[in-house]
Amino acid sequence: MNPSRPLRTAAAALLTATALLALTACGSSEADSGGRGAGGTVDIRIPDPGNSGVLALGKKDGSLDKALAKVGATVRWTGSAGPFAPAAQAMNADQLDIATGSITSGITSLAQRPGFKFFTAVAPDAAGEGILVKNGSGITSVKDLVGRKVAVNQGGTGEYLLLKALAKAGVPADAVERVYLRPDQTAAVFNAGKVDAWAVWATYAVAEIGGGKAHFVADGAAIGSDNYSLNAVRTGFAEQHPAIVEALYRYLHDASVKEKRDPAAYLNVFTDVGPTAVTGKAKEVQTAFTREGGTVDPITAEDIERFEAVAGFYAEQKVTTEKVDVAAHLLDIGKLK
């Protein structure tokens, strides 16, 4: 959903279970099953957006509910936004209707009998994702990662960025030790020096770069990343309520265009203090990344080619056992009305 670029070791099972509990914390009422809410409106279940991004502002100022009311829908905020893998499982279990993730985490989730489809695309974040290293680490190129430890989230953006960077630099994948960690637990490990680098995206990189502690040794542009951000919808919901999905797309597109023009207006929506606030240099870093980033758009034929390239790369790198057919799990926004 492009929420300010705000997506696993043996801990993977724990992550999935924990995130699913968060996503389903609202219970299993009729409204929670995607049914009719008060006054006959359709409830659309979306993870709470937190303190930044287009959905956060839409929640605060009521503009999202106003846009969806025109097609007989209202948002039911469910749990909180987080990694795509557990969100995909929640959609598969009819506990969530909308989620955001990268094409990389999307591909690994599509390999698991998916009950969702992607309906929008945001171009890869050339500036806000990459291989993060601490200032003064002595790592000045991707080739310097040989023999070192790099933190990644398994099967998602981090693992993709590292493998893609290594392939482009001509470095064998097994020449670098991948350390599988949850993204929200990696900063402490990275700052303690227990890993030498972190393959990461803006959601987590902004604080490190803004704090003057780290920088990208290779960003998305240098890596040649095709890591799109996508919005997914539960298949059953899209089939029953195509006009609502189209209206949500239109809102997200228009809001993302405004966010790109004025990123600061979409930061610290509910509070400018505390752990969810982006302040100081980090705020400057985030606004710069957002200005350079993409907007929420329909999925084009060119996008699909790049999705398929990522799926092929994942199969070659044995992240997936076979090439996932991404095109079979996409919706054409223009045909939903």
Side-chain angles (χ1 to χ4, degrees), residues 19 28 35 58 61 69 71 90 103 119 127 155 168 198 206 239 242:
S28 56
D61 66 14
V71 287
I103 183 60
F119 66 102
K168 187 169 183 179
W198 182 6
V206 164
E239 292 172 348

Side-chain angles (χ1 to χ4, degrees), residues 2 54 251-261 294-296:
N2 197 28
V54 298
Y251 180 87
L252 293 172
H253 170 76
D254 293 347
S256 69
V257 171
K258 295 175 183 176
E259 181 189 30
K260 186 175 171 68
R261 287 198 300 258
T295 56
V296 177

Side-chain angles (χ1 to χ4, degrees), residues 13-297:
L14 178 60
L15 165 63
T16 300
T18 302
L20 274 171
L21 283 172
L23 287 166
T24 59
C26 293
S28 56
S29 65
E30 180 181 355
D32 278 346
S33 64
R36 295 277 172 179
T41 58
V42 175
D43 287 310
I44 178 169
R45 297 162 297 176
I46 302 175
D48 189 276
N51 195 33
S52 298
V54 298
L55 287 182
L57 188 58
K59 177 184 179 182
K60 182 179 182 180
D61 66 14
S63 59
L64 178 59
D65 272 331
K66 183 177 180 181
L68 292 178
K70 295 177 181 178
V71 287
T74 187
V75 175
R76 184 176 185 87
W77 301 109
T78 304
S80 58
F84 184 71
Q89 291 191 18
M91 286 189 288
N92 294 346
D94 190 15
Q95 296 165 340
L96 190 67
D97 298 313
I98 300 292
T100 301
S102 63
I103 183 60
T104 47
S105 57
I107 286 170
T108 52
S109 294
L110 286 175
Q112 310 294 320
R113 302 178 67 182
F116 63 89
K117 296 194 175 190
F118 294 112
F119 66 102
T120 73
V122 178
D125 190 357
E129 64 181 14
I131 311 299
L132 196 70
V133 298
K134 286 188 289 186
N135 296 343
S137 67
I139 300 173
T140 61
S141 71
V142 172
K143 291 185 177 181
D144 290 337
L145 296 174
V146 172
R148 300 183 187 251
K149 297 179 180 179
V150 182
V152 302
N153 60 313
Q154 187 174 23
T157 292
E159 188 162 30
Y160 169 78
L161 291 172
L162 176 60
L163 292 172
K164 188 76 172 175
L166 295 176
K168 187 169 183 179
V171 176
D174 60 4
V176 175
E177 182 180 347
R178 277 169 270 174
V179 179
Y180 294 131
L181 293 169
R182 280 173 44 174
D184 61 345
Q185 294 181 337
T186 306
V189 177
F190 175 70
N191 286 303
K194 295 180 181 179
V195 294
D196 302 293
W198 182 6
V200 68
W201 58 102
T203 302
Y204 302 98
V206 164
E208 304 301 322
I209 297 172
K213 299 176 289 186
H215 65 278
F216 285 134
V217 71
D219 61 15
I223 291 169
S225 172
D226 278 329
N227 187 39
Y228 283 76
S229 176
L230 308 176
N231 284 309
V233 59
R234 183 170 59 83
T235 303
F237 188 93
E239 292 172 348
Q240 295 170 25
H241 309 293
I244 296 175
V245 179
E246 197 280 332
L248 177 61
Y249 155 72
R250 179 56 54 191
Y251 180 87
L252 293 172
H253 170 76
D254 293 347
S256 69
V257 171
K258 295 175 183 176
E259 181 189 30
K260 186 175 171 68
R261 287 198 300 258
D262 184 16
Y266 293 80
L267 293 176
N268 304 331
V269 171
F270 291 98
T271 179
D272 57 6
V273 296
T276 64
V278 184
T279 60
K281 183 66 175 178
K283 187 173 182 179
E284 295 177 22
V285 173
Q286 180 62 75
T287 54
F289 285 168
T290 303
R291 283 198 184 96
E292 294 184 49
T295 56
V296 177
D297 294 310

